[in-house]
Amino acid sequence: MVAYVVIPGIDGSDERHWQSRWEKRWGASAVRIAPDSWSRPELSDWVAALQAAYEIASRRDSQVALVAHSLGCWAAARWLDRARPDGVVAFLVAPPDPRGAAFPRQAASSFLDLSARPLPCPSVMVASDDDPYCDPKTATSFARDWQARHRPVENRGHINADSGLGDWPAGLEILRRLVDH
């Protein structure tokens, strides 16, 4: 079995979002982070919330999959860099570019100075070629710098609830392959 830590982006993921659908499917095997700063994200709060969720998840199973979307990718990367846990894989979807024009600078100012560094675990990064928060060239550089396998997709925007993915079976398959590595 695998325990899952669900790490949404700013404001969390609503019930239409693939993360929420997957979390419901996983039931007790999933733990969602619970930061106090969903709308005005503070990196330290999100990293602490991830640590708390990881502690719960790792008690359930020796393998933990981080399932991050958007700003959650940056919180996951920061936590991984500091915690360096064993038995973890990271599934990173649609990381925004902290230096990009669309990045929510005022709301997420503590995320502005982040840069991608090699992750200490097997990881996959999925990004769409038309994400308004990160252009394809930048997404490719994040994957390279994180040393994550890059899985580009076409015409899925920010790969969120508005992308029309439903349960996103293709994403679940990518995650399954990562977990089974």
Side-chain angles (χ1 to χ4, degrees):
M1 292 291 295
V2 176
Y4 301 92
V5 174
V6 179
I7 313 161
I10 197 167
D11 289 328
S13 295
D14 68 22
E15 67 281 347
R16 296 179 310 121
H17 197 287
W18 56 268
Q19 273 185 319
S20 298
R21 291 169 180 246
W22 292 5
E23 181 181 2
K24 186 175 180 181
R25 171 189 213 144
W26 294 326
S29 295
V31 181
R32 181 181 289 238
I33 68 166
D36 292 327
S37 60
W38 276 122
S39 297
R40 296 192 62 77
E42 286 296 327
L43 182 59
S44 60
D45 178 39
W46 283 41
V47 169
L50 203 165
Q51 177 66 36
Y54 170 78
E55 288 171 6
I56 294 167
S58 64
R59 279 185 244 136
R60 296 179 182 170
D61 201 278
S62 61
Q63 185 177 21
V64 175
L66 305 182
V67 180
H69 178 256
S70 192
L71 209 57
C73 295
W74 289 106
R78 173 57 69 95
W79 179 78
L80 284 165
D81 188 52
R82 294 196 171 162
R84 305 192 99 46
D86 292 325
V88 172
V89 297
F91 182 70
L92 309 171
V93 179
D97 179 2
R99 291 161 189 78
F103 191 82
R105 283 177 161 55
Q106 289 186 326
S109 61
S110 62
F111 287 74
L112 288 173
D113 293 328
L114 295 175
S115 59
R117 297 178 17 196
L119 299 175
C121 65
S123 55
V124 171
M125 191 199 81
V126 181
S128 180
D129 63 354
D130 63 347
D131 188 334
Y133 297 99
C134 189
D135 66 75
K137 183 178 177 185
T138 302
T140 298
S141 74
F142 290 160
R144 182 192 64 238
D145 294 346
W146 276 328
Q147 296 180 356
R149 280 183 284 149
H150 186 200
R151 296 295 304 265
V153 295
E154 294 181 351
N155 304 317
R156 290 299 182 184
H158 196 47
I159 314 179
N160 57 11
D162 295 333
S163 298
L165 295 166
D167 288 337
W168 194 28
L172 265 175
E173 180 59 21
I174 296 167
L175 175 60
R176 185 194 62 75
R177 289 182 183 176
L178 173 63
V179 167
D180 292 345
H181 75 276

